[in-house]
Amino acid sequence: MPLVTVTITREGATPAQKARIIQGVTQLLVDVLGKNPATTHVIIEEIDADSWGIAGEPVTTRRLRGE
Amino acid sequence: MPLVTVTITREGATPAQKARIIQGVTQLLVDVLGKNPATTHVIIEEIDADSWGIAGEPVTTRRLRGE
Amino acid sequence: MPLVTVTITREGATPAQKARIIQGVTQLLVDVLGKNPATTHVIIEEIDADSWGIAGEPVTTRRLRGE
Amino acid sequence: MPLVTVTITREGATPAQKARIIQGVTQLLVDVLGKNPATTHVIIEEIDADSWGIAGEPVTTRRLRGE
Amino acid sequence: MPLVTVTITREGATPAQKARIIQGVTQLLVDVLGKNPATTHVIIEEIDADSWGIAGEPVTTRRLRGE
Amino acid sequence: MPLVTVTITREGATPAQKARIIQGVTQLLVDVLGKNPATTHVIIEEIDADSWGIAGEPVTTRRLRGE
């Protein structure tokens, strides 16, 4: 029954990579908690880098400095 | 005061359908819990089908099999 | 496939009321968007009134004034 | 370590405004709760006005009436 | 930089199980998307079974029938 | 109209601190984006330290090492 939301910056994750995330997270919940995969949902949300801040700065600003 | 988030796959929900969802959820919370509609918010989030997984697979893959 | 999160203040919603919310929201998504109820999840989250603010004030403060 | 999600209607918030939100929220959590800014994330999510309802109506409908 | 929220029913997940979930999800995001683990957060939220509905019914009701 | 969710570890934030967070975030959104405070909601969610992971480890483990 778990619901998992994976929030990442939008920078070109491919459908194949998303499928691996979905598969891997679902299997992990089966293995560790014995959850039923049939009712496990995984949602991947992508956020623009200028809408995500760490340490008080947008990720876009951090990246300009090479972080 | 309730906040409701309705997360669906992005596949052409119309403004009229969204308005019906907003109206119906708000009324339900008034009817069942006596909530004040004036402070009730309903947000509809749409997610691409390849970013949503069920049972370890993206919805896009399930649909190719007719599920 | 929808996921719905209903966030309310914690003030004694009963299991029967929660069941009505779950049933009503699910039916609404079937009726308006033709969603499959079998993969529809509804989660009710309850938040303490002093952890919820409207108009810059905790709900607890508003209630002391009768709002 | 806090995570903050700021959900607003999509209507032209600029990168500079988003940067001020990120900076201001992070500083507030440092000042009030002594949180470590290095592990504080702020995410700004923008929602289309017809996907956001208040008082049972989409924001788009409210705005047509001048609200 | 990812943020992951894992929402499960509250039924006795142990600290050791939670640690495995945190470790496994973080590693998956490193492996598949090359994310920096230092800025990866994983939050596990537990929801009472009578506050979670599937197919229009609380999980508590489904379990009484052995589902 | 903004909705803000502030997610922190549960470690004794007081009602007065929560009220300052609510007031400060609301004012920031008024100042930067011209939002209407009357429809601004701020929700503070508290998560147990063993349910929150950074860099692949629960916060509880990091704290035992003095981080």
Side-chain angles (χ1 to χ4, degrees), chain D residues 2-67:
Chain D
L3 307 180
V4 180
T5 303
V6 177
T7 309
I8 56 178
T9 44
R10 190 189 315 278
E11 43 195 335
T14 65
Q17 287 174 316
K18 292 178 185 177
R20 286 177 61 196
I21 297 289
I22 288 166
Q23 197 278 330
V25 169
T26 303
Q27 190 60 48
L28 183 70
L29 291 167
V30 171
D31 291 347
V32 176
L33 292 174
K35 293 296 183 185
N36 179 3
T39 54
T40 297
H41 292 242
V42 179
I43 292 176
I44 299 169
E45 289 201 64
E46 295 171 278
I47 300 286
D48 292 337
D50 65 4
S51 294
W52 192 312
I54 305 179
E57 284 183 325
V59 168
T60 37
T61 304
R62 292 164 62 92
R63 294 220 169 121
L64 289 176
R65 285 200 311 272
E67 289 181 53

Side-chain angles (χ1 to χ4, degrees), chain F:
Chain F
M1 208 159 359
L3 305 181
V4 180
T5 303
V6 178
T7 308
I8 56 177
T9 44
R10 190 189 314 279
E11 43 195 335
T14 65
Q17 287 174 317
K18 292 179 184 177
R20 286 178 61 196
I21 297 290
I22 290 166
Q23 197 279 330
V25 170
T26 303
Q27 190 60 46
L28 183 70
L29 292 166
V30 171
D31 292 346
V32 176
L33 294 174
K35 294 297 183 184
N36 179 3
T39 55
T40 298
H41 291 242
V42 179
I43 292 177
I44 299 168
E45 290 202 64
E46 295 172 278
I47 301 286
D48 292 336
D50 65 3
S51 295
W52 191 313
I54 304 179
E57 284 182 324
V59 169
T60 38
T61 304
R62 291 165 64 91
R63 294 221 168 121
L64 288 176
R65 286 200 309 272
E67 289 181 54

Side-chain angles (χ1 to χ4, degrees), chain A residues 18-44:
Chain A
K18 292 179 185 178
R20 285 177 62 195
I21 297 289
I22 289 166
Q23 196 279 330
V25 169
T26 303
Q27 190 60 47
L28 184 69
L29 292 166
V30 171
D31 292 346
V32 176
L33 294 174
K35 294 296 184 185
N36 179 3
T39 55
T40 298
H41 293 241
V42 179
I43 293 176
I44 299 168

